[in-house]
């Protein structure tokens, strides 16, 4: 799609519609998109994903224009956390480091110490000097980390979660295993701890892709947003992939249609703006994460 627009790079998340993934210059998970955003040389970056992904690209590229083709496409989990709640948690746990999952607003990142994604959350927490960590805003990812660190993890808010991954149940996985005997079950760490325990593998979307290539299983049940099936089918030919539930659809990711992406590229709009004060703090938290060796 950017062939006629050499000044534009189109980045797409693994969850967007198949035709948008196919039109993109790069497709990846949140960590890969954050890294790619710092490595692109074009004056315009278009992010086909939800708002925090475009904001992250904008914060990391103050000298370039980042376009988010559908500004209404917001991460429902990120929307629920305001910076005031982070400051209150800091006051309650003054010795704790604040780790913000990238699925947060720039305002929340700006009052955090370091960011993480689902691909590197355990590594980020273990790299910190502090023995206590305030982990924002997904309680399921926080539980995943807490099970893999000796540090004390305080999830904030206590009930934060992704409404898409939260609906998956161990019964869904059992039903999928019955339907596809011998299949491997992969889930995202935004799923509940009970679902993660019932799965064979838990990982970010990039880690799922790697595991799908490596597993000897020929059939894989995929416990994450349904867009991931296209990425897996495209990149891992010869294996079969089935959704763990037909309900795993993120409506905000689906707002990113080919039409809105095309229109944004033609018009070079709408651009993402983050105020300088917020961007500075958010950039520090993101760059601290990106400075760590990759997972
Ligand atoms: P990944 O970082 O694994 O791609 O996940 C992003 C996300 O929004 C999960 O719901
Ligand atoms: Fe946010 Fe969940 Fe959608 Fe990911 S799937 S963007 S965490 S609402």
């Amino acid at each position: 799609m950017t062939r006629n627009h050499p000044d534009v790079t189109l980045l797409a998340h693994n969850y967007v519609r198949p035709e948008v993934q196919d039109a993109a210059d790069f497709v990846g998970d949140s960590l890969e998109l954050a890294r790619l955003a710092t490595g692109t040389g074009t004056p315009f970056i278009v992010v086909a994903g939800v708002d925090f992904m475009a904001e992250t690209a904008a914060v990391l590229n103050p000298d370039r224009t980042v376009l988010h083709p559908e500004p209404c496409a917001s991460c429902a989990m990120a929307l629920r956390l305001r910076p005031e709640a982070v400051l209150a948690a800091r006051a309650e746990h003054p010795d704790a480091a604040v780790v913000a999952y990238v699925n947060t607003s720039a305002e929340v990142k700006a009052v955090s110490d370091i960011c993480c994604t689902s691909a590197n959350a355990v590594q980020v927490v273990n790299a910190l000097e502090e023995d206590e960590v305030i982990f924002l805003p997904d309680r399921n990812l926080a539980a995943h980390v807490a099970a893999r660190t000796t540090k004390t993890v305080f999830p904030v808010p206590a009930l934060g979660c992704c409404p898409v991954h939260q609906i998956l149940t161990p019964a869904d996985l059992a039903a999928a295993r019955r339907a596809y005997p011998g299949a491997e079950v992969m889930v995202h760490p935004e799923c509940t701890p009970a679902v993660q325990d019932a799965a064979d593998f838990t990982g970010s979307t990039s880690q799922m892709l790697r595991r799908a290539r490596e597993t000897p299983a020929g059939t894989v049940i995929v416990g994450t947003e349904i867009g991931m099936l296209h990425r897996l089918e495209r990149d891992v030919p010869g294996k079969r992939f089935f959704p763990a539930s037909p309900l795993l659809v993120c409506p905000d990711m689906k707002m990113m249609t080919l039409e809105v992406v095309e229109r944004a590229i033609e018009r070079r709009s709408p651009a993402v703006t983050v105020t300088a004060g917020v961007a500075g703090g958010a950039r520090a938290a993101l760059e601290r994460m990106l400075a760590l060796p990759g997972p």
Side-chain angles (χ1 to χ4, degrees):
M1 189 187 282
T2 55
R3 208 176 310 129
N4 297 328
H5 304 277
D7 54 341
V8 176
T9 304
L10 174 58
L11 305 179
H13 187 264
N14 289 323
Y15 293 164
V16 296
R17 294 166 182 270
E19 59 275 20
V20 178
Q21 294 191 31
D22 292 346
D25 296 304
F26 301 101
V27 184
D29 73 355
S30 304
L31 183 58
E32 289 169 332
L33 295 189
R35 288 220 165 96
L36 284 166
T38 61
T40 49
T42 56
F44 291 92
I45 301 171
V46 179
V47 179
V50 287
D51 52 358
F52 75 83
M53 296 171 178
E55 246 186 14
T56 297
V59 161
L60 291 171
N61 289 282
D63 301 333
R64 280 179 235 173
T65 303
V66 175
L67 307 178
H68 188 216
E70 177 45 80
C72 290
S74 299
C75 169
M77 175 164 60
L79 274 180
R80 289 188 190 145
L81 182 64
R82 298 301 311 148
E84 295 76 21
V86 183
L87 298 175
R90 266 198 197 277
E92 203 180 327
H93 305 289
D95 297 330
V98 177
V99 179
Y101 190 24
V102 279
N103 296 42
T104 46
S105 65
E107 284 95 339
V108 164
K109 289 182 179 78
V111 293
S112 302
D113 296 312
I114 187 167
C115 290
C116 74
T117 74
S118 56
N120 65 10
V122 175
Q123 183 196 7
V124 165
V125 167
N126 283 331
L128 295 169
E129 278 173 18
E130 292 85 346
D131 292 326
E132 294 184 344
V133 168
I134 295 166
F135 193 94
L136 324 166
D138 183 9
R139 66 176 148 161
N140 295 324
L141 182 59
H144 178 82
V145 171
R148 290 161 180 81
T149 183
T150 54
K151 300 183 190 239
T152 305
V153 179
F154 303 110
V156 174
L159 297 180
C161 67
C162 160
V164 179
H165 288 86
Q166 186 70 18
I167 56 172
L168 194 63
T169 64
D172 292 326
L173 300 192
R177 283 192 197 276
R178 280 195 301 278
Y180 306 107
E184 178 160 320
V185 177
M186 302 192 307
V187 300
H188 197 274
E190 288 177 12
C191 296
T192 64
V195 165
Q196 295 184 41
D197 288 347
D200 301 311
F201 177 83
T202 300
S204 74
T205 54
S206 62
Q207 290 164 339
M208 285 183 179
L209 182 61
R210 206 170 312 135
R211 175 66 196 163
R213 288 196 185 104
E214 288 166 3
T215 177
T219 304
V220 178
I221 295 160
V222 184
T224 193
E225 210 279 342
I226 217 137
M228 186 61 195
L229 290 170
H230 178 69
R231 181 78 205 273
L232 290 164
E233 281 161 359
R234 200 179 73 170
D235 285 30
V236 193
K239 293 193 181 180
R240 299 188 318 151
F241 299 96
F242 296 99
S245 160
L247 301 178
L248 288 167
V249 180
C250 177
D252 288 83
M253 285 285 184
K254 299 311 175 224
M255 285 183 196
M256 204 53 63
T257 63
L258 204 52
E259 291 70 29
V260 299
V261 174
E262 264 166 0
R263 197 167 52 220
I265 292 175
E266 292 294 338
R267 296 183 182 171
R268 303 290 196 269
S269 167
V272 177
T273 49
V274 184
T275 58
V278 169
R283 192 176 308 123
L286 283 162
E287 285 179 346
R288 203 172 158 202
M289 167 186 80
L290 292 173
L292 294 175

